[in-house]
Amino acid sequence: MLLSKMLLSNRARHLLRDTLGELATRPSIEKRRGPVINAIVDWCQAQDIELGARLSHRHLRLDAELLGRIDETLVDLGEPALAVDLAGLSTAEQAAYGNREAKPVRETPREQRVLASLPGQGKRAGLIEREREMVDVDWRDIDLDAFEALVQVENLDGFYDVSPAIPALDPWGAVLVLYRGDYHYSGGFARLAEAWARGGKPHLYLGDFDAKGVGLALSSGATHLLIPPLAMLAERANAQHQPAEQLGDQPRLRAHAAGLPDGHPLVGPLAILLGEQRGLRQQWLGSAEHWERIALHA
């Protein structure tokens, strides 16, 4: 028999996989007909799987015999059995279970990747020797214990110019510098930041000094900001660098500011940002030699 190439949808597979577990304690389960159940019916009919009395105008009765027949047909088609969950697997890992590539649920190629700025590795054939090298790496391959501090950089153009050899980072010998990430790298960075937080080590944020930027710093678990001294910040900050569209980001910062004790070093910068509605983008922060690390929390 020539099997139809009609695919069983991911939603249909998910429903049938859940039903497998339910059938461990029940002989059969009735499902009301809707888009997903109708898709299963159409697929079964395309594969010449007889539904018989299981199918009515309103319901489809699922039992172990039917799901076993569906499983056998899937395997004959070169597809994974129902018990195999393709969600979170890379394309290569999915390939081990058959011909099906489930793009909507697969792990994306950069899901675990981060972009790191690391010390140069010396001369290599065909490449100019650089003091720093930008490395695309799986965050799980980074030994976090080898680093004493993490610097998270918001903007990609500024990231390429960042060096940890600045006075604000003097207390730490080994500093891990990472791009916070856009569509391609944000997922990997978020996972690394979560793992980093468990170690209780400093996590510094370098980015735009505006409501969105400081909010991102707080959300990422950063412990400090890297910004110019208060006097320099007050001189350079301007209304153009605190966009009106970020008003929605400000209530959280106001609540955070209210929880800071008098004299906390973040009180002055937040007064400029929230009180005067002035900010300063990362590229306008000035020489890194002048930056200070400001604690984000009390």
Side-chain angles (χ1 to χ4, degrees):
M1 177 181 67
L2 181 63
L3 293 172
S4 167
K5 293 183 179 180
M6 179 180 179
L7 291 177
L8 190 62
S9 72
N10 290 322
R11 292 177 65 192
R13 287 180 60 90
H14 183 75
L15 183 147
L16 292 172
R17 185 167 58 251
D18 287 348
T19 303
L20 276 175
E22 297 178 57
L23 288 173
T25 56
R26 300 166 60 183
S28 64
I29 296 170
E30 277 199 349
K31 298 286 187 180
R32 179 179 288 275
R33 293 188 65 166
V36 179
I37 290 298
N38 286 338
I40 293 172
V41 171
D42 291 344
W43 185 86
C44 287
Q45 292 174 343
Q47 310 306 329
D48 293 328
I49 297 176
E50 182 60 44
L51 298 176
R54 297 184 181 95
L55 180 64
S56 71
H57 179 66
R58 293 189 175 182
H59 296 91
L60 174 65
R61 177 166 48 83
L62 300 171
D63 54 38
E65 181 183 355
L66 175 58
L67 265 65
R69 183 75 181 90
I70 290 173
D71 245 354
E72 290 175 4
T73 304
L74 285 170
V75 172
D76 289 343
L77 287 167
E79 295 207 16
L82 292 174
V84 177
D85 187 359
L86 297 177
L89 301 181
S90 67
T91 302
E93 290 168 331
Q94 289 181 4
Y97 293 103
N99 299 328
R100 186 186 186 98
E101 179 184 11
K103 289 185 177 181
V105 298
R106 73 180 180 185
E107 178 181 276
T108 62
R110 286 197 175 103
E111 195 161 331
Q112 305 292 346
R113 313 296 291 189
V114 293
L115 187 62
S117 171
L118 300 173
Q121 297 300 300
K123 271 192 172 295
R124 286 184 289 178
L127 292 177
I128 296 174
E129 185 175 353
R130 298 289 187 185
E131 182 180 346
R132 307 287 299 176
E133 294 184 7
M134 309 305 146
V135 181
D136 176 310
V137 61
D138 188 313
W139 76 267
R140 296 166 295 188
D141 292 336
I142 299 175
D143 178 8
L144 299 182
D145 291 335
F147 297 92
E148 300 169 34
L150 167 66
V151 174
Q152 163 189 353
V153 186
E154 177 183 344
N155 297 298
L156 186 59
D157 53 352
F159 167 76
Y160 290 118
D161 297 325
V162 172
S163 168
I166 60 175
L169 301 177
D170 276 348
W172 307 291
V175 177
L176 177 60
V177 180
L178 295 178
Y179 173 43
R180 179 184 67 85
D182 45 22
Y183 173 80
H184 298 297
Y185 290 109
S186 58
F189 177 82
R191 293 174 178 84
L192 181 144
E194 184 178 350
W196 181 270
R198 292 194 286 269
K201 294 183 287 187
H203 171 172
L204 301 97
Y205 178 90
L206 173 61
D208 296 340
F209 181 71
D210 56 18
K212 182 178 179 181
V214 179
L216 286 171
L218 291 170
S219 297
S220 67
T223 59
H224 295 76
L225 292 179
L226 283 173
I227 56 175
L230 182 59
M232 188 178 297
L233 187 65
E235 179 185 347
R236 296 183 177 182
N238 62 88
Q240 287 182 317
H241 289 190
Q242 178 46 72
E245 57 265 29
Q246 293 186 10
L247 282 173
D249 297 295
Q250 295 193 20
R252 178 190 181 188
L253 297 189
R254 293 185 187 280
H256 185 76
L260 297 175
D262 292 340
H264 190 281
L266 188 58
V267 169
L270 286 183
I272 295 172
L273 185 62
L274 302 173
E276 302 175 17
Q277 294 296 309
R278 296 191 295 134
L280 196 61
R281 295 191 187 119
Q282 180 181 329
Q283 295 87 341
W284 278 262
L285 294 181
S287 171
E289 296 298 314
H290 301 302
W291 293 346
E292 296 180 347
R293 59 183 185 276
I294 304 296
L296 273 167
H297 302 277

